[in-house]
Amino acid sequence: MKANIPAKPKNNLKLVKRLISVIAIIAIYVWTFASVNIEWSKIFSMRTIENFDRIIPRFFDPAFQETGSIMGKMIETVFIAYTGSLAAAIIAIPLAFLCASNIVKSRIVNQIGMWILGAVRAFPEVLLAIIFVAAVGPNPFAGVLAISVGSTGMLGKLYSEVIESIDMKIIESLESSGANKLQILFYGIFPQVLPEFLSYAIYRFEIDVRASSVLGVVGAGGIGTLITFAYLNRNWEEVGMILLAIIVVVTIIDQISSFIRKRLV
């Protein structure tokens, strides 16, 4: 009669794996802080503390007399974000179809589409704004171009995932009934994907309002221009008013878009 050999306990192995993970994470943090050469003595010096005491309280005394000019630039910021998001939402659709393997049956075409979207996503909006300011000049149009290009990468990827999750049985039934490609697109694909397309586009608009708030720092229009001037003039009360305007407008847009997205999906 064979003796039952007890199974090896796995608890010790799990403990070793967790310990190695913790040590690796700590090592990465230590290496990161050591690499950026943070001068802790300056951060916690009396001069830094005095600067905080001198500047931060002025943020909480906003310059309400500048409300008119600040809200004008804030509205311009929203328009930049809206126009850029709308352009991106349209441009991303054909790119998304290129990436969707259940619609385009060519791996090469799918890969090219993914490369395009990946390359676009690699550039932050501020860097794109610098490039477009150099190309078209310091104006809101540069901000619109930066937002539209930057948003296309994210929306294209999300759209492609939505397309790949559609019910292909509907497409097959339309094909078997003799529908052409255009009819399949409008009656089989779009009804399934449009609600989520709109939801993602609105969500991206929320992000773009925040992103376009800083594009004016590099000359791409919007409220970032006022932030630059107020900072250079050390007018911290005006900076406080600008921050208050951004918080209020972004919060309102978040609430409205959240309500719309819940209705769509």
Side-chain angles (χ1 to χ4, degrees):
M1 188 174 180
K2 291 183 179 180
N4 291 327
I5 301 171
K8 264 190 171 183
K10 294 184 179 180
N11 290 338
N12 291 338
L13 184 59
K14 286 183 179 179
L15 186 62
V16 170
K17 285 181 178 179
R18 287 175 184 174
L19 187 60
I20 292 171
S21 300
V22 170
I23 292 171
I25 291 169
I26 293 171
I28 290 169
Y29 271 100
V30 170
W31 175 69
T32 302
F33 279 103
S35 301
V36 295
N37 296 322
I38 299 174
E39 297 185 28
W40 297 103
S41 58
K42 285 188 177 180
I43 292 174
F44 296 105
S45 67
M46 286 302 298
R47 185 177 178 183
T48 303
I49 295 169
E50 287 172 3
N51 284 338
F52 270 94
D53 288 339
R54 182 170 52 86
I55 295 171
I56 299 301
R58 294 173 66 183
F59 287 156
F60 296 94
D61 185 23
F64 288 103
Q65 67 272 16
E66 302 293 336
T67 302
S69 61
I70 289 172
M71 289 311 297
K73 282 292 183 181
M74 192 67 227
I75 291 170
E76 182 180 87
T77 300
V78 174
F79 286 166
I80 290 170
Y82 176 77
T83 309
S85 301
L86 180 62
I90 296 169
I91 296 168
I93 292 174
L95 291 173
F97 276 98
L98 289 180
C99 299
S101 57
N102 60 334
I103 302 298
V104 177
K105 304 292 185 180
S106 169
R107 282 193 176 184
I108 296 173
V109 174
N110 295 153
Q111 200 62 48
I112 290 171
M114 293 298 289
W115 283 342
I116 292 170
L117 294 178
V120 171
R121 289 200 309 277
F123 294 96
E125 284 83 1
V126 174
L127 180 57
L128 290 169
I130 293 171
I131 294 169
F132 286 122
V133 165
V136 302
N139 55 61
F141 183 55
V144 171
L145 291 174
I147 291 295
S148 61
V149 173
S151 300
T152 298
M154 173 186 167
L155 286 177
K157 180 173 174 53
L158 293 173
Y159 286 0
S160 66
E161 291 174 359
V162 172
I163 295 169
E164 287 181 338
S165 66
I166 64 173
D167 186 359
M168 292 301 293
K169 290 181 180 178
I170 297 173
I171 311 300
E172 290 167 4
S173 63
L174 285 170
E175 286 176 342
S176 62
S177 62
N180 58 38
K181 299 291 184 184
L182 203 59
Q183 289 171 327
I184 291 170
L185 181 66
F186 281 99
Y187 297 106
I189 299 174
F190 277 164
Q192 295 188 68
V193 301
L194 275 181
E196 289 192 69
F197 276 15
L198 290 172
S199 176
Y200 282 132
I202 292 169
Y203 177 63
R204 183 65 206 189
F205 171 62
E206 294 177 31
I207 297 171
D208 288 339
V209 172
R210 299 182 186 93
S212 41
S213 298
V214 297
L215 295 186
V217 174
V218 295
I223 204 166
T225 308
L226 293 183
I227 294 174
T228 303
F229 290 146
Y231 164 74
L232 292 174
N233 294 324
R234 300 296 189 267
N235 191 347
W236 306 117
E237 290 84 1
E238 187 175 346
V239 174
M241 186 62 205
I242 293 168
L243 294 177
L244 179 62
I246 292 171
I247 291 169
V248 170
V249 172
V250 168
T251 302
I252 292 170
I253 289 172
D254 282 354
Q255 293 297 320
I256 294 171
S257 63
S258 177
F259 174 78
I260 294 172
R261 282 188 286 111
K262 284 179 182 176
R263 293 280 179 155
L264 285 172
V265 181

